[in-house]
Amino acid sequence: MIIMDIKIDNLYAFKKFHMNMSYPKKIVDSTIEGEFLKDRSNFRYKKVNIIMGGNATGKTSLGKILMMFANYFKDGSYNRFTDIISDNRKDAMLKIDFVTDKNVLYRFEMLVGANPDGEYSEEDVDIHIHYTPIGVRENYEICAQRLDEDKGEEEAYEKINTRGWYFSYPQDAWKSKTYIPIESNKEYLYILEQILKTLDPSIKEVIKVKELKNTYAIILENCSAIIKDGVVANGEVLSSGTKAGLDISYIIASLVSDQHDLYYCDELFPYINSDVEKACLSIIIDKITERKQLFFTTHNTDVLDMQLPKHSFSFLKKDVNDVEMPIKCIYAAQYLKRNTDSLKHAVENDLFCTAPELHRLYDIAGL
């Protein structure tokens, strides 16, 4: 599943929020190959979406909304959306344009009427999915305009093949995590061992525990750690960075085995060396093949030095003084037009006005 456009209103802290994943023209000698649909070269989409921004700017919340949207296709339940409405006295809206395994542009549109008591029923929620075929020479904007003009056909959610997704969050962002087996991937053990040994050179080997399902053992010098269903049973023997290697290994292995199409990686490397983060990210990007898409949030400005198209970078900015639209999406490519423009210098000079305000911290120094 490829996300082309997101509009959110009155969910979490988002109000009139808009983020678009198309880009206007083909990039010559781009380091990311095939950022368009096969046999539809004018229909361009951002395969890699690196999202940066300060704390509490909505990076994790955006991922959660996308995950709820993806999970909607499992059961068609609307409750997951009404539970995150910010102001029950106002209408709420979620509109997402997306593409699956067909040359068709779908639009998911949900409107929820105001309900001051917060007790939402099915009558309060209006959800429709419309679609339009993507012509051989058409781009996203042409197809989206047809849907804007109500020229699309309607489709039931259960008839849409979304091909699978994976969302990774910091441990404190989600109460529980569903383990998705990857036992069938013959490369997984090798990938897991190489990544964990990189993160912790004291690890001797990683082995599969044949007697137990979905279980691996990490062998160190004087002890061992057990991984069961993607969780370290005795995690105190491993560093936070080493434990983060489990998610990294799963993502790379699932890309190698073509297990999912959509990935949202939220702060996957908070405890990991910058060079290791860039190396793993480059591997992940290399494995994103046709009709796959990555969303990747990070605070690491060293990522800006990677030779990626400028349209791959977006910045979320929060302005509490803007009541109408407190969170905005800023695209680097709209500001930096030349190939020689330095994205890192632009961020260091706060060209996008996304740097955190530090005056309150400096006020403490005056005590």
Side-chain angles (χ1 to χ4, degrees):
M1 180 164 58
I2 301 165
I3 306 297
M4 295 300 305
D5 194 82
I6 307 169
K7 292 179 181 176
I8 309 171
D9 190 33
N10 198 22
L11 298 178
Y12 286 132
F14 295 108
K15 296 179 182 178
K16 298 181 180 179
F17 176 81
H18 182 210
M19 184 176 184
N20 183 265
M21 269 61 67
S22 65
Y23 65 97
K25 62 181 180 179
K26 184 179 180 180
I27 307 298
V28 179
D29 298 325
S30 175
T31 54
I32 302 178
E33 296 182 358
E35 285 194 290
F36 51 83
L37 296 183
K38 185 179 180 181
D39 301 324
R40 301 289 190 277
S41 59
N42 289 331
F43 198 97
R44 293 176 286 271
Y45 70 95
K46 302 174 186 176
K47 271 189 174 182
V48 177
N49 298 272
I50 297 178
I51 304 173
M52 307 185 76
N55 295 321
T57 54
K59 299 185 298 296
T60 298
S61 295
L62 176 63
K64 288 182 177 180
I65 289 175
L66 282 176
M67 185 174 69
M68 292 175 193
F69 158 72
N71 285 332
Y72 172 82
F73 293 94
K74 289 183 176 181
D75 54 24
S77 174
Y78 65 86
N79 301 93
R80 54 175 57 92
F81 301 114
T82 55
D83 289 343
I84 62 169
I85 291 177
S86 176
D87 189 346
N88 297 327
R89 298 166 300 175
K90 298 180 180 180
D91 295 347
M93 181 273 294
L94 177 62
K95 185 185 293 184
I96 298 180
D97 291 355
F98 64 102
V99 178
T100 59
D101 58 339
K102 299 179 180 179
N103 289 324
V104 168
L105 177 66
Y106 293 97
R107 173 169 293 173
F108 169 95
E109 188 166 8
M110 178 195 71
L111 298 173
V112 182
N115 193 327
D117 62 9
E119 297 295 328
Y120 293 97
S121 66
E122 190 171 356
E123 288 71 28
D124 298 314
V125 184
D126 187 30
I127 297 178
H128 294 280
I129 302 174
H130 292 90
Y131 71 92
T132 183
I134 301 170
V136 174
R137 299 183 182 276
E138 291 183 332
N139 58 22
Y140 163 73
E141 288 72 21
I142 291 174
C143 297
Q145 184 175 352
R146 281 203 298 272
L147 294 177
D148 290 340
E149 297 170 352
D150 296 326
K151 293 180 180 179
E153 301 292 329
E154 189 160 4
E155 184 68 282
Y157 77 88
E158 63 268 20
K159 293 184 178 180
I160 299 175
N161 177 24
T162 55
R163 276 272 301 163
W165 51 87
Y166 185 77
F167 291 81
S168 175
Y169 298 101
Q171 292 182 356
D172 62 346
W174 211 259
K175 293 181 180 179
S176 61
K177 183 175 181 179
T178 302
Y179 176 71
I180 306 174
I182 198 165
E183 299 287 300
S184 59
N185 186 342
K186 61 181 180 180
E187 307 292 348
Y188 175 64
L189 182 58
Y190 172 78
I191 293 170
L192 179 65
E193 183 174 52
Q194 297 308 308
I195 288 177
L196 293 185
K197 282 184 174 181
T198 300
L199 296 172
D200 185 350
S202 68
I203 293 175
K204 301 299 181 182
E205 63 176 332
V206 180
I207 60 174
K208 175 76 176 70
V209 180
K210 296 181 180 179
E211 295 81 7
L212 299 173
K213 188 177 180 181
N214 304 332
T215 305
Y216 299 85
I218 303 173
I219 310 301
L220 295 96
E221 186 68 41
N222 300 312
C223 61
S224 62
I226 300 297
I227 305 170
K228 172 64 176 173
D229 293 336
V231 178
V232 182
N234 48 338
E236 66 277 358
V237 303
L238 300 177
S239 71
S240 296
T242 305
K243 285 184 281 189
L246 301 183
D247 257 1
I248 300 167
S249 302
Y250 178 89
I251 290 168
I252 294 175
S254 62
L255 280 165
V256 169
S257 61
D258 193 26
Q259 193 158 340
H260 308 295
D261 282 351
L262 176 65
Y263 293 83
Y264 197 100
C265 305
D266 184 35
E267 293 298 330
L268 192 58
F269 298 86
Y271 308 106
I272 292 177
N273 175 276
S274 174
D275 290 337
V276 175
E277 176 174 0
K278 290 195 294 182
C280 291
L281 177 56
S282 66
I283 294 171
I284 291 172
I285 292 173
D286 182 66
K287 300 301 179 184
I288 298 176
T289 55
E290 182 185 341
R291 291 186 188 252
K292 286 182 169 51
Q293 190 177 42
L294 170 71
F295 290 84
F296 185 91
T297 78
T298 181
H299 288 284
N300 183 8
T301 56
D302 288 344
V303 170
L304 299 169
D305 287 330
M306 297 177 69
Q307 298 302 307
L308 299 173
K310 290 182 175 65
H311 68 236
S312 297
F313 294 89
S314 300
F315 298 83
L316 296 190
K317 175 185 177 180
K318 192 170 189 177
D319 183 359
V320 294
N321 295 315
D322 189 340
V323 178
E324 294 297 317
M325 191 178 178
I327 299 177
K328 301 175 180 65
C329 182
I330 299 170
Y331 309 102
Q334 288 185 345
Y335 288 78
L336 306 176
K337 304 294 185 181
R338 298 174 299 181
N339 292 333
T340 55
D341 290 336
S342 170
L343 183 55
K344 190 169 186 179
H345 288 168
V347 172
E348 290 173 344
N349 290 291
D350 200 22
L351 175 64
F352 310 122
C353 300
T354 55
E357 296 182 5
L358 302 177
H359 65 276
R360 291 182 180 82
L361 299 180
Y362 292 127
D363 286 347
I364 298 173
L367 294 177

